[in-house]
Amino acid sequence: MKRMKPSALLITAAAILVIAGLVVAWRLGAGTALTGGGSASVWNERADLAQQELEESFWDEKRGLFNNAAPCIAQLCTDPFNYWWLAHAVDVLVDGYERTEDTKYKEQLGKLYQGLLDRNAGVFINDYYDDMEWMALAWLRAYDATEDERYKQAALALWQEIQTGWNDEMGGGIAWRKEQLDYKNTPANAPAVILAARIYEHTQDAADLAWAKKLYDWQKRTLVDPATGLVWDGINRQGDGVVDKDWKFTYGQGVYIGAGVELYRITKEPSYLDDARKTAANLKQDFLSPATGMLPSEGDGDGGLFKGVLVRYIGELIELDPSEKELSEMLLTNADSLWEYGKGKDDVLFSNSWAQTPDTVVQLSTQLSAVMLLEQAARIEKQ
């Protein structure tokens, strides 16, 4: 093998370093020339990178599940079993598949489906009604994207179980969990509206639409401020019949917006869309920073997922009505900050705060929320 002269070695080494730097710049989006800057594909590329990081840093091929955190630390990787986080992981894989039509997402959905069954004693039934709703919504979307009949049957079985959560305590509504049937909250009712409405679109069974309307009426009457559209979290948590008006979270706003959007799509009744717009407009008052337009950090754990739920259903409202430019700008403002300030320096892991550097350990819930935001930005970019 012919040896290079020292000068040639230096030139070659410099070239390798330049190329490596360009690759890193492309992967992390540090340079506008390669990520697109103002090009039409910048958010598509960033969503790809975030999805890639999700797979590389969280996916456990042996179990067919995503780990709870990255880096993975001992039993914290697998315990506790965060069922509802994994429901949103299904949703995120569907996002990737719908955007790219890349079969790798379809294949991973199949593995995750089996991994969830293996971990949950062969069924999808759970003690928490809200968790089951998230899972049913996710698998119904997966069915719509892939036409895999298993996913539709999973959603239908879950829907039948969810209906058993309705009782007359607090004037109606679906309970949060089976061991506390008199506690009713937004997470167990607004997503059920979305689910019932989407099930109806598949079955055309009037009973499913009736469920959606009944649940929506209870939610609006009980847990929504009529003056502002602010969605409260729940009622009777402590057995005293009190509404938790101080408990206001982004995901509660999101699912109520989504419920209004779904019912408007089916019925064309303007009141549903008006309700969704009112709650979305109230985000300025109760959630957005007046200085930056940023959504708040709601902590780690379950709270890490809250903003992701909101941006998903804000995206549904924008898709229904692209004239909602202010909402589009809000999502893109948050996405810009997430990519610039809320992402790791040397990876594509994200922070609970979309304006600050991530913690050393990033939880799956936090990563999923960030991927949801980037997928929504890619949808806006495509419109």
Side-chain angles (χ1 to χ4, degrees):
M1 183 178 185
K2 186 177 180 180
R3 292 179 179 271
M4 292 185 182
K5 294 180 180 180
S7 59
L9 283 170
L10 288 173
I11 292 169
T12 302
I16 290 171
L17 287 173
V18 169
I19 292 169
L22 290 173
V23 170
V24 171
W26 177 83
R27 188 172 190 272
L28 299 182
T32 56
L34 291 179
T35 58
S39 76
S41 63
V42 60
W43 291 114
N44 182 68
E45 292 174 3
R46 290 173 177 178
D48 275 343
L49 293 173
Q51 290 272 13
Q52 178 184 332
E53 188 75 62
L54 177 67
E55 179 180 5
E56 291 178 356
S57 294
F58 291 88
W59 180 251
D60 183 338
E61 182 70 17
K62 183 177 180 180
R63 296 187 304 128
L65 296 173
F66 289 96
N67 291 325
N68 288 333
C72 204
I73 302 172
Q75 75 273 15
L76 295 179
C77 293
T78 59
D79 295 316
F81 174 38
N82 286 302
Y83 174 105
W84 86 282
W85 296 10
L86 291 164
H88 289 282
V90 174
D91 255 330
V92 162
L93 292 178
V94 175
D95 291 337
Y97 183 62
E98 288 181 338
R99 178 173 51 83
T100 66
E101 296 184 354
D102 190 326
T103 57
K104 70 179 182 180
Y105 293 106
K106 188 175 180 179
E107 292 166 4
Q108 197 167 15
L109 279 167
K111 294 175 183 177
L112 182 52
Y113 175 88
Q114 190 58 50
L116 282 162
L117 285 178
D118 291 345
R119 181 64 176 80
N120 204 51
V123 297
F124 282 106
I125 303 302
N126 182 284
D127 288 337
Y128 290 81
Y129 289 102
D130 60 334
D131 287 8
M132 290 190 288
E133 290 159 22
W134 297 124
M135 193 66 76
L137 282 166
W139 286 122
L140 193 60
R141 280 192 68 219
Y143 168 75
D144 289 339
T146 67
E147 297 185 343
D148 189 319
E149 188 66 23
R150 294 176 301 168
Y151 305 157
K152 180 180 179 181
Q153 293 307 313
L156 291 173
L158 283 164
W159 172 228
Q160 291 302 310
E161 182 74 12
I162 289 160
Q163 291 174 50
T164 67
W166 176 278
N167 61 64
D168 292 334
E169 296 285 346
M170 302 300 112
I174 289 178
W176 176 50
R177 60 176 180 166
K178 295 175 180 178
E179 293 181 358
Q180 196 176 3
L181 294 175
D182 60 352
Y183 172 43
K184 311 295 180 62
N185 64 8
T186 294
N189 284 274
V193 177
I194 303 170
L195 178 61
R198 291 181 179 177
I199 292 285
Y200 168 75
E201 290 181 302
H202 286 81
T203 65
Q204 293 299 300
D205 186 338
D208 293 320
L209 181 56
W211 265 106
K213 291 180 175 181
K214 178 171 74 168
L215 287 160
Y216 187 91
D217 290 345
W218 180 88
Q219 172 73 40
K220 181 178 179 179
R221 181 175 69 250
T222 311
L223 294 176
V224 180
D225 184 345
T228 66
L230 173 67
V231 182
W232 300 311
D233 193 69
I235 183 171
N236 203 43
R237 179 170 51 90
Q238 297 180 335
D240 52 10
V242 172
V243 173
D244 288 314
K245 293 187 178 182
D246 292 334
W247 278 26
K248 47 188 182 183
F249 303 111
T250 54
Y251 75 103
Q253 319 311 302
V255 287
Y256 184 64
I257 290 166
V261 166
E262 288 300 326
L263 279 173
Y264 175 76
R265 280 179 174 152
I266 293 171
T267 67
K268 304 304 179 187
E269 293 180 23
S271 62
Y272 293 124
L273 185 54
D274 290 344
D275 289 346
R277 286 171 168 158
K278 186 174 185 177
T279 296
N282 186 66
L283 292 172
K284 273 187 176 181
Q285 178 64 35
D286 282 291
F287 296 94
L288 295 178
S289 164
T292 63
M294 293 297 296
L295 289 162
S297 172
E298 292 168 284
D300 58 9
D302 288 346
L305 256 171
F306 290 177
K307 292 196 297 290
V309 173
L310 172 64
V311 300
R312 177 174 301 287
Y313 291 106
I314 287 289
E316 295 290 333
L317 178 54
I318 293 168
E319 184 178 38
L320 180 68
D321 183 5
S323 70
E324 293 280 359
K325 299 299 183 184
E326 196 168 354
L327 292 177
S328 295
E329 290 169 5
M330 183 268 285
L331 290 188
L332 292 176
T333 293
N334 277 265
D336 278 328
S337 180
L338 171 71
W339 196 262
E340 183 68 22
Y341 304 110
K343 177 175 63 60
K345 182 180 179 181
D346 300 317
D347 53 37
V348 193
L349 295 170
F350 298 100
S351 173
N352 300 318
S353 166
W354 291 344
Q356 295 179 1
T357 304
D359 294 333
T360 303
V361 176
V362 175
Q363 294 187 326
L364 175 63
S365 55
T366 296
Q367 188 74 7
L368 290 172
S369 267
V371 180
M372 290 182 212
L373 176 60
L374 295 172
E375 289 286 0
Q376 291 304 318
R379 287 177 68 182
I380 292 170
E381 177 179 69
K382 190 176 179 180
Q383 288 175 355

